[in-house]
């Protein structure tokens, strides 16, 4: 099922919950503006290769559109639209003053040199600059993009518009980025888990089942580090593209991070048993955290056999709707993506605010505000789920849809 279909399906359930009118459903599901561009890039050998890029602004009723840019061979129109839509619900649920957007270029960045990547980023920025701006649409990192890519976007945009740090978030700290932004998504996942652990009696500290993390990129690696060092949790398995490692006594996370920092693959680390990416889904645990790409928990592959108490969606759209229903029937709770992984965009909001104020926050202040914002959102989801007898996902959608619908009505729609 495509990203778009996944979102539509989940949307319908929540729209029914809050009795949303037909016309409002149409406004809320359809994108505000879609931009598709060709991105010709001069390669190192002199050839020109032409890539396709997208920037889709799903909704801007609550504020400027906001969302990351991903570089991936499978990034296409439907995927980017689905992800842009989720950003609208994510910013609404966090109650931060943004709408939702997403960008993508259909490219395998691992096949590009650093200079080719820079030229691609600059050309893509030139082509979408007309719809960007600190009060219009503000990109950020996503899959396969990082602070360096954001620095190029800042430079390219500013070279025409004048210095505009607030046009992009997730920048290097020395170029106006925020302290705590890089780890923010992982940190937010941990805060949500700590709340859930307390409310539902599945302890993180001293818990027996432990945590399994699929994906060791920006989200998974920071999350593993924080769960280990701050939450006192036992991380029993992690995986990356090449495979994973498992130790039921808990992995030595600082040692694993040091191994990966040397550029070595996760499965080659000797502190645990090597597991394949398929085997990872069968490991018994309390918490299972998909923290890489979408569509990895499916009816066919693993939804019937996953052996955990809670799935925490660190990635965007990791669970297909049919798998979601199977997990529900099996009594496995799911903490949905736009609650669990909202720490990134929440600290992006603080970065944007710091840029507009030309004032810097301390790391402690960023973490304190993040904890307050994401915990408040978590509590509202937990309470509505209990009151209506629905899943966390449906409750989260209900709250988000209501907020965006209210903003649309106040603007006259
Ligand atoms: N790409 C991240 C997300 O999916 C962050 C977006 C942002 O900071 O604007 O939430």
């Amino acid at each position: 099922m495509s990203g778009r279909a996944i979102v539509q399906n989940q949307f319908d359930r929540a729209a029914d919950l809050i009795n949303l009118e037909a016309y409002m459903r149409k406004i809320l599901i359809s994108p505000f503006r879609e931009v598709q561009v060709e991105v010709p890039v001069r390669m190192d050998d002199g050839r020109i290769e032409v890539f396709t890029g997208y920037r889709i602004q799903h909704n801007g009723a609550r504020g400027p559109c906001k969302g990351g840019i991903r570089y991936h061979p499978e990034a296409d129109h439907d995927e980017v639209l689905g992800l842009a839509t989720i950003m609208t619900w994510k910013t609404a649920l966090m109650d931060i003053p943004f709408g939702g957007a997403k960008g993508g270029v259909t490219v395998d960045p691992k096949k590009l040199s650093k200079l080719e990547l820079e030229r691609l980023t600059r050309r893509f920025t030139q082509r979408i600059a007309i719809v960007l701006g600190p009060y219009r649409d503000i990109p950020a990192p996503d899959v396969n993009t990082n602070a360096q890519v954001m620095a190029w976007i800042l430079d390219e945009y500013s070279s025409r518009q004048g210095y505009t740090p607030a046009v992009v978030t997730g920048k290097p700290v020395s170029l106006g980025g925020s302290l705590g932004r890089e780890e923010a998504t992982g940190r937010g996942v941990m805060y949500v888990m700590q709340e859930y652990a307390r409310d539902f009696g599945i302890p993180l500290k001293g818990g027996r089942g432990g945590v399994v993390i699929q994906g060791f990129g920006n989200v998974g690696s920071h999350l593993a580090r924080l769960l280990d060092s701050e939450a006192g949790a036992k991380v029993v398995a992690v995986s990356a593209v090449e495979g994973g490692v498992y130790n039921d006594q808990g992995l030595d996370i600082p040692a694993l991070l040091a191994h990966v920092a040397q550029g070595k693959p996760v499965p080659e680390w000797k502190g645990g048993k090597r597991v394949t990416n398929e085997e990872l889904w069968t490991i018994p645990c309390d918490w299972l955290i998909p923290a890489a790409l979408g569509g990895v928990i499916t009816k066919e592959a693993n939804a019937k056999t996953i052996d955990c108490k809670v799935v925490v969606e660190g990635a965007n759209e990791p669970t297909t709707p049919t798998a979601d229903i199977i997990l529900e029937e099996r009594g496995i709770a799911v903490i949905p993506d736009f609650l669990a992984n909202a720490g990134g965009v929440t600290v992006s909001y603080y970065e944007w605010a710091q840029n507009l104020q030309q004032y810097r926050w301390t790391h402690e202040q960023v973490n304190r505000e993040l904890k307050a914002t994401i915990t408040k959102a978590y509590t509202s989801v937990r309470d509505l789920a209990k009151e209506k007898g629905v899943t966390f996902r449906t409750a989260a959608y209900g709250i988000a849809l209501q907020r965006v619908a209210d903003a649309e009505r106040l603007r006259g729609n």
Side-chain angles (χ1 to χ4, degrees):
M1 191 182 275
S2 72
R4 191 176 180 175
I6 293 174
V7 170
Q8 175 72 51
N9 186 294
Q10 289 157 349
F11 176 88
D12 289 338
R13 284 173 83 176
D16 291 343
L17 180 80
I18 60 166
N19 296 319
L20 210 60
E21 311 93 301
Y23 89 92
M24 188 57 82
R25 291 183 193 219
K26 203 161 175 184
I27 290 180
L28 295 198
I29 201 68
S30 53
F32 168 73
R33 172 158 53 198
E34 301 188 335
V35 176
Q36 180 182 327
V37 292
E38 62 180 15
V39 189
V41 179
R42 175 83 59 190
M43 306 306 275
D44 291 344
D45 63 6
R47 279 178 309 119
I48 289 185
E49 222 175 285
V50 186
F51 300 93
T52 305
Y54 306 88
R55 184 70 185 173
I56 300 186
Q57 298 169 342
H58 172 255
N59 189 285
R62 299 182 62 266
C65 295
K66 186 82 191 83
I69 290 176
R70 64 170 56 186
Y71 291 164
H72 197 271
E74 269 147 43
D76 61 8
H77 169 271
D78 275 13
E79 179 179 273
V80 175
L81 174 54
L83 293 164
T85 311
I86 289 183
M87 288 310 301
T88 301
W89 315 139
K90 200 181 292 189
T91 52
L93 182 63
M94 292 302 118
D95 209 4
I96 57 178
F98 289 134
K102 202 76 164 198
V105 178
T106 317
V107 59
D108 183 355
K110 290 180 187 76
K111 294 196 180 134
L112 301 187
S113 70
K114 192 168 180 197
L115 277 173
E116 288 168 342
L117 195 70
E118 177 175 349
R119 289 194 287 266
L120 172 92
T121 302
R122 289 186 183 279
R123 193 39 89 79
F124 180 52
T125 306
Q126 287 166 15
R127 302 258 157 135
I128 62 167
I130 191 156
V131 297
L132 301 184
Y135 295 105
R136 206 177 268 279
D137 183 357
I138 306 136
D142 198 79
V143 172
N144 291 332
T145 55
N146 57 18
Q148 175 62 76
V149 174
M150 300 307 116
W152 291 325
I153 294 175
L154 163 71
D155 184 67
E156 194 61 38
Y157 188 87
S158 296
S159 69
R160 286 165 180 74
Q161 307 289 329
Y163 180 57
T164 319
V167 75
V168 63
T169 61
K171 300 178 290 291
V173 173
S174 55
L175 274 185
S178 178
L179 292 167
R181 174 60 185 86
E182 198 188 277
E183 65 171 29
T185 309
R187 181 170 284 283
V189 175
M190 176 184 74
Y191 287 149
V192 169
M193 288 171 70
Q194 286 175 320
E195 293 300 308
Y196 193 94
R198 207 198 42 232
D199 287 343
F200 294 89
I202 307 171
L204 278 171
K205 200 170 185 158
R208 271 188 292 155
V211 184
V212 170
I213 303 175
Q214 180 251 353
F216 213 57
N218 177 266
V219 182
S221 62
H222 282 294
L223 176 61
R225 176 178 62 79
L226 293 166
L227 284 173
D228 178 68
S229 63
E230 290 192 23
K234 182 172 73 169
V235 180
V236 295
V238 305
S239 70
V241 180
E242 311 87 9
V245 282
Y246 171 48
N247 184 339
D248 63 0
Q249 299 305 304
L251 302 169
D252 180 348
I253 296 296
L256 175 59
L257 285 165
H259 166 90
V260 171
Q262 290 169 4
K264 297 183 193 157
V266 170
E268 281 175 22
W269 186 59
K270 298 286 174 254
K273 188 174 143 252
R274 198 180 178 124
V275 288
T276 65
N277 286 336
E278 289 72 39
E279 285 163 350
L280 187 94
W281 300 109
T282 63
I283 296 172
C285 56
D286 285 343
W287 309 83
L288 177 59
I289 310 177
L293 292 172
V296 292
I297 302 183
T298 65
K299 179 182 169 204
E300 296 73 25
N302 47 19
K304 293 181 194 144
T305 48
I306 275 170
D307 187 2
C308 68
K309 292 182 179 144
V310 195
V311 170
V312 187
E313 294 185 333
N316 286 317
E317 298 182 327
T319 315
T320 64
T322 36
D324 209 30
I325 291 164
I326 295 170
L327 295 179
E328 191 180 340
E329 284 165 1
R330 294 184 58 212
I332 296 174
V334 179
I335 304 183
D337 46 10
F338 62 101
L339 171 58
N341 72 29
V345 74
T346 300
V347 176
S348 276
Y349 165 46
Y350 307 148
E351 180 174 330
W352 179 76
Q354 290 173 73
N355 294 151
L356 295 177
Q357 294 177 329
Q358 293 160 317
Y359 184 77
R360 290 232 165 159
W361 296 12
T362 63
H363 198 168
E364 290 68 36
Q365 183 179 359
V366 168
N367 290 352
R368 197 169 53 241
E369 299 271 346
L370 168 60
K371 186 171 188 180
T373 300
I374 206 163
T375 302
K376 190 166 170 222
Y378 163 85
T379 306
S380 62
V381 171
R382 179 202 63 197
D383 291 350
L384 187 66
K386 192 165 178 216
E387 184 194 322
K388 301 274 187 196
V390 295
T391 62
F392 267 44
R393 191 189 311 279
T394 302
Y397 263 106
I399 294 166
L401 259 56
Q402 192 70 62
R403 287 191 182 146
V404 183
D406 287 347
E408 287 284 358
R409 282 193 198 98
L410 286 167
R411 281 168 174 262
N413 287 325

